[in-house]
């Protein structure tokens, strides 16, 4: 299986998995870049995965239906512009030899789901939409900090080598915030330098890995001493994980 990032809009990445014949795409907010990527590689589109209802994730669905020879998989509890195979946590399905498992990850939206794909001999792919970003996490439009902490916790315990295929290239701006919150994290400083080089060369910083995120992402590190201290200094009512997380999330909104 090969993984490709198909860019759309200002900073969306539409992930495509393909085996040289069949392709699957995740969160196609726009149809034309997907259609072009399929044509260039002579691939047949045989599945679409959707993580949540926002327009930049579902906007291309209608236009892609005529090209699709397979199912659209989507969250069971969100309104979708086309018929989907509805999924909730614990659901499993298979596509082209890749086994997918669904996680409920509410917070960014109320019914947001993530897909963990596993194929023999390859590191898993985590299609987590707008829940976990490299160095950051999604805004809480429809959920509570406690929900998001739980959702991120489900992603954080996935295998370290699992590839974080999030839906936006927000890494550098996330890392600027992360460095403010945890200035003495040397791994974070190294990662930021690496990501700056990648972006300067016109390359994506993604996919990241779960191990990397555990080491550098402040939203997964709300129990790290330096981060707790930063949150307390920024008005967190206690050092409880949810309070630290909620303070970081609000702080980042206006950073
Ligand atoms: Zn979204
Ligand atoms: Zn988005």
């Amino acid at each position: 299986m090969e993984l490709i990032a198909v860019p759309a809009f200002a900073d969306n990445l539409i992930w495509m998995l393909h085996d040289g014949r069949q392709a699957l795409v995740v969160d196609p907010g726009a149809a034309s870049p997907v259609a072009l990527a399929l044509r260039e590689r002579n691939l047949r589109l045989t599945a679409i995965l959707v993580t949540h209802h926002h327009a930049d994730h579902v906007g291309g669905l209608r236009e892609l239906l005529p090209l699709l020879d397979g199912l659209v998989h989507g969250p069971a509890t969100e309104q979708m512009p086309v018929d989907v195979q509805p999924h909730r946590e614990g659901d499993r399905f298979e596509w082209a030899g890749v086994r997918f498992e669904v996680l409920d990850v509410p917070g960014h939206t109320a019914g947001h789901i993530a897909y963990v794909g596993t194929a023999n001999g390859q590191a898993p792919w985590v299609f987590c939409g707008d829940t976990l970003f490299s160095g950051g996490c999604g805004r809480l439009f429809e959920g509570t900090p406690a929900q998001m902490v739980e959702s991120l916790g489900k992603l954080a315990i996935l295998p370290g080598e699992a590839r974080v295929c999030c839906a936006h290239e927000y890494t550098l701006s996330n890392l600027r915030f992360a460095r403010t919150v945890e200035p003495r994290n040397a791994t974070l400083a190294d990662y930021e330098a690496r990501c700056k080089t990648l972006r300067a060369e016109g390359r994506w910083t993604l996919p990241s890995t779960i191990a990397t995120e555990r080491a550098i992402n402040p939203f997964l590190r709300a129990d790290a001493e330096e981060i707790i201290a930063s949150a307390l200094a920024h008005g967190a009512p206690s050092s409880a994980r949810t309070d630290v997380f909620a303070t970081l999330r609000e702080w980042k909104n206006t950073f």
Side-chain angles (χ1 to χ4, degrees):
M1 276 299 158
E2 195 184 333
L3 179 73
I4 299 169
V6 179
F9 313 120
D11 48 44
N12 281 73
L13 294 180
I14 301 169
W15 293 101
M16 178 181 282
L17 266 185
H18 76 83
D19 63 4
R21 295 190 307 271
Q22 298 189 56
L24 159 157
V25 292
V26 185
D27 287 353
S32 49
V34 172
L36 182 64
L38 292 168
R39 241 189 347 263
E40 280 175 350
R41 296 167 181 82
N42 201 19
L43 298 169
R44 207 157 53 92
L45 182 63
T46 56
I48 297 177
L49 312 184
V50 178
T51 62
H52 68 294
H53 69 81
H54 286 160
D56 63 311
H57 297 250
V58 303
L61 286 177
R62 269 183 211 287
E63 222 180 305
L64 285 174
L65 283 189
L67 297 182
L68 176 65
D69 182 11
L71 292 173
V72 181
H73 300 268
T77 62
E78 296 200 347
Q79 203 77 42
M80 291 282 123
V82 302
D83 285 339
V84 302
Q85 179 75 30
H87 288 296
R88 55 186 77 238
E89 182 149 311
D91 283 1
R92 288 161 197 273
F93 59 94
E94 203 174 313
W95 169 84
V98 181
R99 300 174 300 282
F100 283 98
E101 187 177 346
V102 178
L103 297 173
D104 285 332
V105 287
H108 176 68
T109 62
H112 199 305
I113 59 174
Y115 302 86
V116 182
T118 312
N120 292 341
Q122 293 195 266
W125 302 273
V126 186
F127 297 110
C128 51
D130 288 354
T131 297
L132 175 65
F133 295 125
S134 186
C137 73
R139 284 181 190 244
L140 303 181
F141 288 118
E142 299 173 12
T144 64
Q147 277 179 321
M148 194 61 151
V149 165
E150 195 186 334
S151 296
L152 291 172
K154 292 178 189 176
L155 299 174
I157 59 169
L158 293 171
E161 75 272 18
R163 289 170 272 194
V164 177
C165 305
C166 51
H168 293 270
E169 172 67 63
Y170 286 156
T171 311
L172 288 188
S173 83
N174 285 336
L175 295 181
R176 263 194 308 281
F177 176 72
R179 292 260 278 145
T180 302
V181 173
E182 197 179 13
R184 286 199 292 274
N185 183 337
T187 308
L188 170 58
D190 288 349
Y191 182 62
E192 187 184 36
R194 213 161 56 238
C195 289
K196 277 183 171 162
T197 304
L198 286 172
R199 295 304 287 145
E201 292 170 350
R203 295 158 69 189
W204 310 118
T205 64
L206 303 166
S208 166
T209 67
I210 291 290
T212 297
E213 296 310 313
R214 285 199 291 250
I216 61 95
N217 190 322
F219 295 96
L220 300 185
R221 298 172 56 74
D223 54 355
E225 225 168 276
E226 195 178 15
I227 292 181
I228 292 171
S230 292
L232 288 172
H234 209 81
S238 84
S239 59
R241 184 177 268 273
T242 307
D243 284 336
V244 171
F245 174 86
T247 303
L248 295 184
R249 189 52 269 180
E250 293 221 339
W251 183 0
K252 174 71 166 61
N253 289 346
T254 57
F255 182 74

